[in-house]
Amino acid sequence: MAKVLGVGGVFFKSGNPTALGQWYRDHLGMAVGEYGADFVPATMPDKGMTVWCPFAEDTQYFSPSEKDFMFNLVVDDLAEALKQVVAGGGQQVGEIVKESYGHFGWFLDPEGNKVELWQPM
């Protein structure tokens, strides 16, 4: 049987892909180009990973976004990343949560997409 080796990308619709990509470049330092941003395994922190996880249809975890998805970005400095996002017009959602495997924070981007930021331990 053929096996899945990992997540190859996250693709979603945008009202203005160029402007949204530029916003992520300006406020989270993503190297966004013509085909989005590429991440290579070597840039992930030790014990960093990509998670694929379906949620129940009635989950509130993506709230207050109205979208049917949420994506997670790995960051090197969660508190600073959230400050940058808010300074750029994003809306922080809730407070930072500290777990044994890392710290998490959330925000809504300019198009109302909920994004989870994860700083691994």
Side-chain angles (χ1 to χ4, degrees), residues 54-75:
F55 280 74
E57 201 169 274
D58 61 351
T59 186
Q60 295 302 305
Y61 196 65
F62 303 166
S63 295
S65 177
E66 299 286 326
K67 309 285 178 88
D68 289 337
F69 65 88
M70 179 186 72
F71 52 93
N72 172 298
L73 299 172
V74 180
V75 295

Side-chain angles (χ1 to χ4, degrees), residues 6-14 34-38 69-71 113:
V7 175
V10 176
F11 307 97
F12 59 99
K13 295 179 181 180
S14 168
E34 182 180 358
Y35 300 107
D38 297 332
F69 65 88
M70 179 186 72
F71 52 93
N113 301 308

Side-chain angles (χ1 to χ4, degrees), residues 59-99:
T59 186
Q60 295 302 305
Y61 196 65
F62 303 166
S63 295
S65 177
E66 299 286 326
K67 309 285 178 88
D68 289 337
F69 65 88
M70 179 186 72
F71 52 93
N72 172 298
L73 299 172
V74 180
V75 295
D76 60 356
D77 185 336
L78 176 60
E80 186 61 29
L82 286 170
K83 286 181 194 173
Q84 292 165 196
V85 163
V86 170
Q91 176 189 348
Q92 185 172 339
V93 176
E95 300 298 321
I96 291 175
V97 172
K98 297 178 179 183
E99 300 286 353

Side-chain angles (χ1 to χ4, degrees), residues 31-52:
V32 179
E34 182 180 358
Y35 300 107
D38 297 332
F39 304 100
V40 294
T43 63
M44 286 288 280
D46 188 36
K47 299 191 180 183
M49 67 184 83
T50 302
V51 176
W52 180 89

